[in-house]
């Protein structure tokens, strides 16, 4: 119910607004020449890296965004992410803030000036007036640029300035739930933070988490994620805390599997006389899977099972369980897949059904 | 068997970065922390168990170069099996780089005239993708000219993509005398597994040392028209994944995949090698492939022993 509606959209997409600033620090070098230092916050980079598979190093070549662009993306729920130029205001956005489920505000971690804070607060105040349930997120971005101590210090300062400024507006804004994340396109902190942004938009999250908890307890798995395979965002995980190292490893694993597929894909026309192409209609649906075994001394196996065309279960399992009780694991995967597919169908109906 | 490998080129051209990625499993992101190499850093790395590569990473500052060419001349250039000379694609002092290169080539022909020479046009990632091949062609022509009659091989490289693995695979392959023999046996093994392709990697570096597909046009792989970069991309992917495992203090052991595109197993073949078996026939299961690998182990241990004796 908290989710806003838009009538002419064939799918009811959850809208996420990406905001940031574009500022130029001008520094006169000689009497004529002016060097402009560009503190673009990194919104387009974030979108391209997450949803278009752009390698992080290539974000360097991105052109500044000149107008609002909307990026649809279908995962467990359909999303629409709006990328805005740096000079956008509440009035020039072209849509009421009530339409958005979340606002993600991106600030360059080295940018300690007042302007982004002023703008952020302006949007928060305007958003809260029309949509008190809106999710507000702040990405303190390009975090890898700073050493650990400076990183923490700048993060703290940005946090403090935003809160001070909000309270200046009105003491009641002290209660506004505002989530701060340290992010960078050069590691998986971005995927982790954005995953947390979309969790708040998934109504069926508790059911998914429950399915994952049951899977973990049945297979002695210490950690399992349901990942969107292309963006490497996880739409849900079991109840155990997410440790960054494990999350990184799972993302790297997905990255490797995504890259392997096309590498050995045969482009040869399928041969007509292979035995199974004779009767394709009766074939059971094929679900890609993979496993990698690690640390022969303290053996762990990372498993990968596709459960819908875009979602995969990635779990870490004790290797003895995976090897000796393979049947049990596979059975639990089948059961998990059924559960997720049911939820997926419901989510699909929900987003399509609201059309009428 | 021991082979001396000279790694030379101007300071900052990327010699130590490459060496640390290939032989010490450092990720590319950490290479910016490397300091300039002082004089010569010698390293012995074991390759395929019995082949010892004696790497001479020669710091490239002018003072060092001058001394390599004069007082240290015979020490540096004698008994070399390979010289790898690295050129920064964005070098602003190409004339000077070329002059030093020609002097080194003279030194090499004087003391090790049978050495193979590889010229790497490095940091290709700094050139925009669309211009890369043109820039490389131009550089390669310039380097060929500077090399006179000496037979050299020019390769474009970057630590940020698979070109690094392609170049180093072809470098180490000149040091393995009987690698051809391995190719033949891999082909037989591939047939036994109904595999479309089988690839053998050196364990520590994950460089490709042999493949089941030959380069002749009648080969089945050509009709399958697979990605031409697949070998070095595989090295790069597995190396990257091994690194992420080690960051978690885990150690990579094996990989099985039943993807929509193919079925494959990557597993230990011998003490010093890994094998990747790729099958396109969906009827073949990973368990069967693993069994075949297990049965082929002994044969390949023997073959590998022969490979290094020339
Ligand atoms: N963009 C880019 N940078 C690279 C590449 N390879 C190395 N570098 C960078 O180049 C710098 C110098 O690299 P080194 O490996 O220390 O250079 P070197 O040739 O060993 O230098 P000396 O030891 O002084 O002779 C480092 O900051 C590396 O990160 C590459 O392929 N692309
Ligand atoms: N170091 C670093 N640079 C980044 C990161 N994210 C984006 N950038 C750079 O920031 C610049 C501006 O990015 P862009 O996405 O176009 O900013 P936008 O105007 O907010 O959309 C580009 O040169 C990116 O390469 C990051 O996490 N770390
Ligand atoms: Mg060096």
């Amino acid at each position: 119910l908290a989710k806003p509606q838009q009538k002419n959209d064939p799918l009811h997409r959850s809208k996420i607004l990406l905001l940031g600033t574009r500022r130029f620090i001008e520094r006169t070098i000689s009497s004529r020449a002016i060097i402009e230092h560009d503190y673009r916050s990194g919104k387009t980079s974030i979108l391209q890296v997450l949803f278009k598979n752009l390698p992080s190093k290539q974000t360097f070549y991105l052109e500044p965004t000149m107008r609002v662009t909307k990026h649809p993306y279908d995962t467990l729920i359909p999303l629409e992410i709006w990328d805005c130029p740096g000079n956008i205001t509440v009035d020039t956005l072209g849509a009421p803030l009530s339409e958005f489920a979340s606002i993600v505000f991106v600030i360059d971690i080295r940018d300690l000036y007042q302007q982004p804070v002023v703008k952020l607060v302006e949007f928060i105040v305007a958003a809260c007036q029309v949509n008190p349930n809106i999710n507000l997120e702040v990405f303190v971005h390009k975090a890898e640029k700073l050493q650990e101590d400076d990183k923490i210090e700048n993060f703290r300062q940005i946090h403090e300035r935003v809160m001070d400024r909000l309270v200046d507006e009105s003491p009641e804004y002290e209660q506004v739930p505002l989530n701060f994340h340290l992010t960078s396109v050069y590691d998986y902190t971005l995927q982790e933070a954005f995953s947390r942004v979309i969790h708040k938009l998934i109504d069926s999250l508790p059911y998914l988490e429950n399915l994952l908890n049951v899977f973990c307890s049945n297979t002695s798995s210490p950690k399992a994620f349901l990942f969107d395979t292309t963006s490497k965002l996880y739409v849900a995980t079991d109840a155990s805390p997410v440790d960054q190292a494990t999350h990184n490893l799972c993302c790297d694993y997905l990255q490797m599997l995504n890259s392997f597929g096309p590498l050995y894909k045969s482009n040869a026309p399928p041969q007509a006389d292979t035995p199974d192409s004779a009767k394709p209609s009766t074939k059971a649906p094929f679900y890609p899977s993979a496993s990698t075994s690690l640390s022969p001394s303290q053996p762990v196996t990372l498993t990968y099972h596709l459960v819908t065309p875009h979602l995969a279960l990635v779990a870490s399992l004790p290797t003895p369980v995976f090897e000796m009780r393979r049947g049990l694991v596979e059975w639990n995967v089948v059961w998990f897949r059924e559960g997720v597919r049911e939820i997926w169908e419901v989510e699909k109906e929900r987003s399509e059904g609201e059309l009428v | 068997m021991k082979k001396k490998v000279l790694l030379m080129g101007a300071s900052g051209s990327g010699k130590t970065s490459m060496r640390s990625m290939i032989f010490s499993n450092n990720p590319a992101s950490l290479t910016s922390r490397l300091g300039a190499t002082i004089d010569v850093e010698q390293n012995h790395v074991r390759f395929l168990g019995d082949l010892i590569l004696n790497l001479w990473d020669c710091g490239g500052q002018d003072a060092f170069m001058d001394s390599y060419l004069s007082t240290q001349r015979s020490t540096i250039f004698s008994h070399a099996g390979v010289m790898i000379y690295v050129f920064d694609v964005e070098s602003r002092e190409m004339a000077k780089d070329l002059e030093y290169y020609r002097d080194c080539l003279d030194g090499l022909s004087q003391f090790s005239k049978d050495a193979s020479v590889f010229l790497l046009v490095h940091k290709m990632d700094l050139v925009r993708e669309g211009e890369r091949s043109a820039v490389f062609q131009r550089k390669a022509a310039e380097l060929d000219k500077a090399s006179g009659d000496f037979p050299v091989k020019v390769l474009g490289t970057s630590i940020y993509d698979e070109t690094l693995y392609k170049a180093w695979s072809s470098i180490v392959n000149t040091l393995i005398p009987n690698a051809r023999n391995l190719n033949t046996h891999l082909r037989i093994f591939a047939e036994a597994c109904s595999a479309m392709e089988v690839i053998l990697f050196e364990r520590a570096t994950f460089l490709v040392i042999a493949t089941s597909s030959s380069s002749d046009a009648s080969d089945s792989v050509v009709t399958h028209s697979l990605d031409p970069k697949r070998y070095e991309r595989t090295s790069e992917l597995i190396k990257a994944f091994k690194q992420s495992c080690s960051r978690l203090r885990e150690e990579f052991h094996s990989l099985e995949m039943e993807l929509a595109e193919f079925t494959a197993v990557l597993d230990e073949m011998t003490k010093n090698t890994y094998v990747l078996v790729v099958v396109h026939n969906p009827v073949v299961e990973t368990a069967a492939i693993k069994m075949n690998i297990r049965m082929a182990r002994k044969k390949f241990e023997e073959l590998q022993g022969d490979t290094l004796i020339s």
Side-chain angles (χ1 to χ4, degrees):
Chain A
L1 276 177
K3 287 199 208 159
Q5 310 239 358
Q6 201 193 29
K7 294 274 151 43
N8 52 6
D9 189 347
L11 270 188
H12 170 68
R13 296 187 172 274
S14 295
K15 294 198 179 59
I16 301 177
L17 180 59
L18 270 186
L19 289 172
T21 43
R22 180 186 306 145
R23 270 182 342 96
F24 298 102
I25 300 175
E26 294 175 0
R27 208 200 287 153
T28 317
I29 293 284
S30 71
S31 53
R32 300 251 173 85
I34 291 174
I35 294 270
E36 286 178 337
H37 284 263
D38 189 350
Y39 279 73
R40 283 184 290 155
S41 51
K43 302 177 295 295
T44 310
S45 308
I46 288 176
L47 268 176
Q48 296 286 326
V49 168
L50 285 179
F51 303 113
K52 300 277 161 67
N53 267 320
L54 187 76
S56 11
K57 280 204 91 190
Q58 298 203 3
T59 58
F60 182 77
Y61 299 112
L62 288 174
E63 301 289 336
T65 311
M66 299 316 281
R67 68 174 73 143
V68 177
T69 35
K70 305 169 190 177
H71 298 263
Y73 188 78
D74 289 312
T75 172
L76 183 74
I77 55 167
L79 301 172
E80 185 171 280
I81 302 127
W82 288 38
D83 184 14
C84 303
N87 57 0
I88 200 89
T89 63
V90 178
D91 301 321
T92 56
L93 183 61
L97 285 175
S98 57
E99 277 186 13
F100 295 90
S102 299
I103 299 183
V104 177
F105 205 93
V106 186
I107 300 183
D108 184 319
I109 190 164
R110 297 159 305 167
D111 191 352
L112 291 178
Y113 293 80
Q114 276 302 328
Q115 194 203 345
V117 174
V118 171
K119 188 164 162 186
L120 166 62
V121 168
E122 189 185 297
F123 268 93
I124 293 175
V125 170
C128 288
Q129 276 164 4
V130 292
N131 183 0
N133 291 319
I134 199 160
N135 298 298
L136 300 165
E137 317 278 342
V138 182
F139 284 10
V140 180
H141 192 56
K142 308 192 194 179
E144 101 291 342
K145 285 241 179 197
L146 299 182
Q147 300 289 327
E148 203 59 29
D149 288 352
D150 294 340
K151 191 176 355 187
I152 304 298
E153 178 53 24
N154 282 24
F155 183 75
R156 194 192 59 75
Q157 276 199 34
I158 291 173
H159 190 159
E160 196 175 277
R161 280 162 194 232
V162 172
M163 295 321 280
D164 285 355
R165 179 93 197 179
L166 265 177
V167 175
D168 280 352
E169 285 290 328
S170 157
E172 67 187 275
Y173 286 120
E174 202 173 358
Q175 305 305 321
V176 170
L178 195 54
N179 307 293
F180 286 78
H181 314 259
L182 272 168
T183 58
S184 165
V185 294
Y186 287 98
D187 52 41
Y188 294 122
T189 52
L190 176 63
Q191 278 77 1
E192 164 83 34
F194 214 93
S195 297
R196 291 182 190 272
V197 172
I198 63 169
H199 293 168
K200 302 199 179 99
L201 310 180
I202 299 175
D203 291 337
S204 51
L205 188 68
Y207 305 104
L208 291 169
E209 288 175 341
N210 194 35
L211 286 173
L212 283 154
N213 287 336
V214 173
F215 178 85
C216 284
S217 68
N218 285 354
T219 59
S220 321
S221 162
K223 192 73 207 159
F225 293 96
L226 181 62
F227 269 106
D228 179 69
T229 52
T230 25
S231 65
K232 301 192 279 298
L233 298 174
Y234 62 94
V235 297
T237 184
D238 67 296
S240 70
V242 177
D243 118 83
Q244 202 184 349
T246 310
H247 175 253
N248 287 348
L249 185 63
C250 291
C251 288
D252 279 328
Y253 184 40
L254 281 175
Q255 174 79 36
M256 175 174 72
L257 292 175
N258 287 348
S259 316
F260 254 120
L263 221 47
Y264 291 91
K265 180 184 159 79
S266 163
N267 295 320
Q271 274 146 10
D273 56 3
T274 54
D276 62 338
S277 67
K279 40 179 172 127
S281 50
T282 54
K283 234 174 40 180
F286 169 73
Y287 294 101
S289 66
S291 64
T292 179
S293 91
L294 311 175
S295 295
S297 51
Q298 224 207 19
V300 173
T301 296
L302 274 188
T303 60
Y304 164 98
H305 289 93
L306 213 60
V307 297
T308 76
H310 300 290
L311 298 177
L313 171 67
V314 175
S316 101
L317 290 177
T319 300
V321 173
F322 182 70
E323 276 175 2
M324 326 284 226
R325 315 191 61 190
R326 188 72 172 257
L328 171 91
V329 174
E330 297 295 340
W331 189 84
N332 273 280
V333 169
V334 170
W335 179 84
F336 178 83
R337 183 180 290 132
E338 302 266 295
V340 172
R341 290 187 82 92
E342 262 170 45
I343 294 171
W344 184 46
E345 301 289 334
V346 173
E347 288 286 2
K348 232 166 53 184
E349 258 169 44
R350 191 187 342 236
S351 59
E352 282 162 5
E354 289 186 15
L355 164 102
V356 272
Chain B
M1 194 168 55
K2 221 166 169 171
K3 294 273 185 172
K4 174 172 166 185
V5 178
L6 284 175
L7 197 48
M8 308 193 81
S11 183
S13 56
K15 303 178 288 296
T16 311
S17 305
M18 280 195 250
R19 181 186 56 133
S20 74
M21 283 186 64
I22 297 284
F23 297 103
S24 318
N25 293 326
N26 276 339
S29 54
L30 290 186
T31 58
S32 53
R33 299 190 190 165
L34 293 169
T37 307
I38 303 305
D39 207 15
V40 180
E41 243 176 62
Q42 276 198 49
N43 272 278
H44 294 263
V45 293
R46 217 170 242 290
F47 192 86
L48 270 182
D50 294 326
L51 174 63
I52 313 250
L53 299 181
N54 187 5
L55 289 177
W56 290 43
D57 179 355
C58 306
Q61 295 172 44
D62 292 359
F64 300 136
M65 291 299 273
D66 293 337
S67 123
Y68 306 149
L69 290 165
S70 54
T71 50
Q72 289 178 279
R73 196 173 177 96
S74 70
T75 328
I76 296 280
F77 293 106
S78 50
H79 308 297
V82 174
M83 176 170 86
I84 303 163
Y85 209 100
V86 185
F87 296 88
D88 183 336
V89 69
E90 294 219 310
S91 169
R92 299 217 196 96
E93 299 181 301
M94 198 53 190
K96 189 177 93 182
D97 295 349
L98 283 175
E99 196 173 323
Y100 272 128
Y101 163 60
R102 270 189 298 257
D103 291 344
C104 287
L105 206 53
D106 281 345
L108 195 72
S109 20
Q110 186 183 350
F111 291 97
S112 308
K113 61 176 177 355
D114 294 329
S116 358
V117 173
F118 288 89
L119 307 181
L120 306 185
V121 181
H122 192 54
K123 308 196 187 178
M124 286 301 289
D125 59 285
L126 298 176
V127 181
R128 276 203 187 222
E129 220 162 329
E131 296 157 22
R132 265 178 217 168
S133 100
V135 168
F136 177 75
Q137 294 302 334
R138 205 172 59 234
K139 286 272 171 190
E142 191 177 8
L143 293 173
D144 258 330
K145 192 158 152 261
S147 310
D149 294 338
F150 211 103
V152 297
K153 193 161 180 195
V154 190
L155 299 162
T157 50
S158 160
I159 57 170
Y160 292 105
D161 61 37
E162 76 286 344
T163 53
L164 179 75
Y165 297 95
K166 188 181 173 87
W168 282 84
S169 275
S170 76
I171 292 169
V172 296
N173 268 291
T174 62
L175 300 173
I176 310 172
N178 298 330
R180 295 248 141 69
N181 195 17
L182 278 177
N183 290 343
T184 317
H185 284 87
L186 277 187
R187 204 141 44 229
I188 298 167
F189 179 62
E191 246 160 63
C193 296
S194 317
M196 201 273 319
E197 185 156 46
V198 176
I199 304 157
L200 199 65
F201 299 91
E202 200 274 332
R203 183 186 186 121
T205 55
F206 254 87
L207 294 174
V208 175
I209 48 179
T211 67
S212 64
S213 31
S214 59
S215 44
D216 66 11
S218 65
D219 196 273
S220 66
V221 176
V222 179
T223 57
H224 275 279
S225 65
L226 293 181
D227 188 330
K229 291 179 181 166
R230 62 193 179 283
Y231 302 139
E232 46 274 16
R233 283 282 289 142
T234 304
S235 300
E236 188 193 13
L237 288 172
I238 301 293
K239 274 285 264 245
F241 189 63
K242 277 178 75 175
Q243 270 155 21
S244 33
C245 292
S246 61
R247 276 196 289 276
L248 245 180
R249 271 182 226 87
E250 303 275 8
E251 192 189 321
F252 172 78
H253 189 238
S254 68
L255 173 67
E256 290 173 32
M257 296 176 277
E258 292 189 7
L259 303 182
E261 296 88 350
F262 60 86
T263 296
V265 173
L266 176 70
D267 204 349
E268 227 170 34
M269 181 58 124
T270 66
K271 277 201 301 297
N272 310 300
T273 58
Y274 259 77
V275 71
L276 176 68
V277 181
V278 183
V279 180
H280 276 159
N281 182 347
V283 178
V284 178
E285 292 192 3
T286 54
I289 302 176
K290 276 163 67 180
M291 173 104 86
N292 279 328
I293 295 176
R294 220 168 18 245
M295 293 194 305
R297 270 188 189 137
K298 193 153 163 278
K299 177 76 190 161
F300 274 85
E301 289 283 6
E302 285 168 21
L303 280 173
Q304 193 190 308
D306 300 339
T307 310
L308 292 176
I309 302 161
S310 57

